[in-house]
Each structure stands twice: as structure tokens, then as C-alpha cells.
Amino acid sequence: MKKYIPLRLMKGTLSFLISKRLILILPILSLVTLLVMVISTGMGDMKIGPVDVVKAVIGQGSDIHTFVVQIHRLPRIVVAFLVGAALAIAGAILQGMIRNPLASPDVIGITGGASVAAVTFLTLYSDSGNTLTISIHWLPVAAFVGALIAAALVYTLSWHSGVTPIRLVLIGIGLAFATDALTTLMIIEGPLYLATQATLWQTGSVYASTWQDVQVLLPWLLICLFIALIAARRLNVLEMGEDIASSVGSHVQRNRLLLLLLSTALAGAAVSVAGGIGFVGLMAPHIARRLIGSSFGALIPVSAMIGGLIVIMADLVARTAFLPLDLPAGIFTAAIGAPYFIFLLFRHKNL
């Protein structure tokens, strides 16, 4: 316990165990993320130096630099960070809630359900001129509903006198394939312009992101992050096991339901903007746990920073390594995440 600092707010209503290493690690991660964002903003068809990037961000650069940075690159990079952070927090919550190191929103089909709902939303609410007849701000709500249905299906189908981690993962993988098939069906049945957009969703990309996407995603992420930090104490208790959690007075089933809603809200919002960028929710919490320990008061913000950093770096490689091609960032997160998932599956085969 000496490596943790107890933090109590609102007369003990909110309490956290903060790792002392968080005081060092979080500022370092923030600085690294900021540097990567500046470097990424300057790279592409037009190379822009870091100093000129900063000038362009604050409106002191040349017109062409300001246009490229503020209109084209910066919103994309900010969206990449927000999407990665949302998926990482969702993964950390899932892994703690069901005590399963293999769990993440994409592995168990939650992001697939969100993708189906998002594509269906665009299909149903697009007119003949390919214009939405309803506010785009409802898209995260639709994605959240799809993610929630997928999560409920996985949990229900996995239940047989309890839920075992391996059963939940295998059923989740099956559901993920089924949601991919449904997404493909909606692409075929939907308007033609939707095909390209939906294909990007299936792989996961922040291509053509705008400040409007930031406005849609940022409030969701901030609200969910705040709730996740409040729920950190419950996650710490749940991770000790159902028997211990019940013995200390925790309402296990109610807390699991609330945490599942929170995780699906995060995953659904991320998918509604960038599609199913895979394995971020799996990898980021594991890396964060290595750095900061398992207390969720520190694990959640560090996972968010690492998840955001992973997607920014994946997108940087995707749009600069194969110029003039601009590939989906999800290809590169999957290239790293899939072998890592197999490694974890082998390592935890006795679960």
C-alpha cells in the first residue's frame, strides 16, 4: 500500500488509490503525446517543421501552413487521440469488470455491433442527395445502442451458471464475425456513397476527420472519463473476485451492468467517428498496467494516454509510409494487436 496515495473527495464519497508513479508517468506520457502530435502534424505530402506547426496552430504561421494544419491535419490527429483514449478506457473497464485479460470491445464484438448500428443509421437517414436528414450528433447514440445490444448478446450467450473468460471471448469472436457480415449487408443495401465510408469503418480509420467529429466525441469522452474515475473504486473491488466483492458489500451484478453500459458508451462513440480500430482496447490497458500497476484510479488515465498515443502513431504510419496512399490506421493496430492477442490467449489458456 506504500506505493499508493489514498485520495478522498466530497467527504469520502469519492475515493481513489493513486499510484505514486502516476505523478511521474502521466506528465511524461502527456509530453511524449504532445511531441508526437506536433511531429505527426508536420508530416505528409507537405513537410512542415515543428516550429511552423506551433505557429500555425496558434494562428501565427503562413496562410498555407495554417490551412493545412488547422483544417486538414490537426482535427484528424485530435480525433485519433480521442478515439484511442475512448477504446483504451473501454478495454480497461471490460478487463477489470469480468477479470479477463483477453477482453476488449473489438475482440468480443462490441465495436462490431456499433459499426452495424452506425452504418444502418446512415442508410436509414440519408436522402437521395446523400445528405443526412437528421443531426449527425445522433450517430454516437445509434452506435451506443448497437454496442449495447452486442454486449448484451455476448454476456447472455456466455452465461451458463456463470461466465467464464474463455467462453465469453470465443462467443464474442463469433459475434464479431456476424456483425461484420451484417455491416457488409448494409453496405450492399445502402446508398452507393456509403460503401467507401462503411469499408473504412470496418477497418478503422480517422481519414477526413473534422472539427465537427471532435465536437461530437469530446463531450462523450469527458463525461465517460469522469464517470469511469468515480467507478474506479468499484472496479478495484470487482477485480478481487465476485466472492470478495460481495463480502465487502459490493452490489456485483448492478455494478457490472453499470460498468458494461459505460464501456459500451465509450466504444460506441469511438466507432461512430472512426470505425472499429482494432486491439487498442486490448493492448493499452496491458501496457498501462506494466507502467502504473492495477489500481484503476491511475490505470484509467494512463490507459487513455497510451491508447491515444497508439492510434496517433498508427495513423502517422498509415498516411505517410506508403504515399500517395492513405491507408486505414486500423491495419497497423491489427498488425501489432493480433499477434499480441494470440500471445495472451496462449498465456492465459488455463483461464
Side-chain angles (χ1 to χ4, degrees):
M1 295 294 288
K2 290 182 180 178
K3 62 182 180 179
Y4 295 107
I5 302 172
L7 179 63
R8 295 183 174 85
L9 304 173
M10 300 173 63
K11 298 180 179 179
T13 304
L14 302 179
S15 62
F16 309 96
L17 281 178
I18 303 297
S19 171
K20 292 180 180 177
R21 298 177 68 183
L22 182 68
I23 300 171
L24 175 65
I25 289 175
L26 196 57
I28 292 175
L29 277 176
S30 301
L31 182 60
V32 171
T33 302
L34 190 61
L35 287 173
V36 173
M37 291 177 82
V38 171
I39 293 170
S40 179
T41 304
M43 295 185 70
D45 288 332
M46 175 188 288
K47 301 287 191 302
I48 304 175
V51 175
D52 291 328
V53 168
V54 175
K55 287 181 177 178
V57 170
I58 61 177
Q60 300 297 317
S62 64
D63 290 342
I64 185 65
H65 285 173
T66 302
F67 177 78
V68 170
V69 169
Q70 293 193 4
I71 303 301
H72 288 289
R73 294 184 184 170
L74 195 56
R76 175 173 179 160
I77 292 167
V78 173
V79 166
F81 176 79
L82 296 177
V83 167
L87 291 173
I89 298 172
I93 292 172
L94 274 179
Q95 289 174 12
M97 182 188 77
I98 58 178
R99 303 177 66 211
N100 185 346
L102 305 177
S104 74
D106 50 302
V107 171
I108 66 172
I110 292 178
T111 55
S115 294
V116 172
V119 174
T120 303
F121 175 88
L122 291 178
T123 301
L124 293 178
Y125 294 105
S126 294
D127 60 18
S128 57
N130 296 334
T131 303
L132 275 179
T133 58
I134 190 171
S135 171
I136 191 68
H137 288 83
W138 286 104
L139 186 56
V141 177
F144 167 65
V145 172
L148 186 62
I149 293 172
L153 278 174
V154 170
Y155 202 81
T156 303
L157 294 174
S158 304
W159 185 270
H160 182 69
S161 302
V163 175
T164 64
I166 287 294
R167 188 187 300 134
L168 185 142
V169 169
L170 292 178
I171 290 178
I173 290 172
L175 185 67
F177 279 112
T179 54
D180 280 347
L182 283 173
T183 302
T184 303
L185 178 63
M186 293 308 301
I187 293 172
I188 295 171
E189 295 295 329
L192 186 60
Y193 85 99
L194 186 60
T196 303
Q197 182 69 34
T199 302
L200 289 176
W201 261 319
Q202 284 184 304
T203 311
S205 173
V206 291
Y207 176 77
S209 296
T210 65
W211 288 116
Q212 188 180 30
D213 296 321
V214 176
Q215 293 174 0
V216 170
L217 186 56
L218 184 59
W220 278 75
L221 178 60
L222 292 178
I223 292 171
C224 292
L225 175 60
F226 179 72
I227 297 173
L229 290 174
I230 293 175
R233 184 171 59 178
R234 293 179 173 83
L235 275 167
N236 288 332
V237 174
L238 281 176
E239 202 173 45
M240 287 188 266
E242 189 169 329
D243 293 338
I244 295 177
S246 299
S247 67
V248 298
S250 175
H251 300 281
V252 174
Q253 298 304 327
R254 186 183 68 184
N255 288 338
R256 275 183 176 164
L257 177 61
L258 294 175
L259 290 167
L260 184 62
L261 287 173
L262 182 59
S263 180
T264 53
L266 285 160
V271 172
S272 70
V273 174
I277 296 182
F279 298 104
V280 177
L282 177 74
M283 292 187 291
H286 282 281
I287 298 171
R289 198 171 280 109
R290 293 275 185 184
L291 292 175
I292 205 73
S294 58
S295 174
F296 281 87
L299 184 65
I300 288 172
V302 172
S303 295
M305 293 297 297
I306 292 173
L309 190 57
I310 288 173
V311 179
I312 290 174
M313 294 177 71
D315 182 57
L316 173 61
V317 175
R319 68 183 175 82
T320 61
F322 301 95
L323 288 172
L325 295 177
D326 191 333
L327 301 176
I331 292 176
F332 297 94
T333 59
I336 300 172
Y340 187 65
F341 174 74
I342 294 171
F343 165 73
L344 287 176
L345 194 62
F346 178 77
R347 185 179 180 185
H348 298 278
K349 60 184 178 182
N350 294 324
L351 282 174

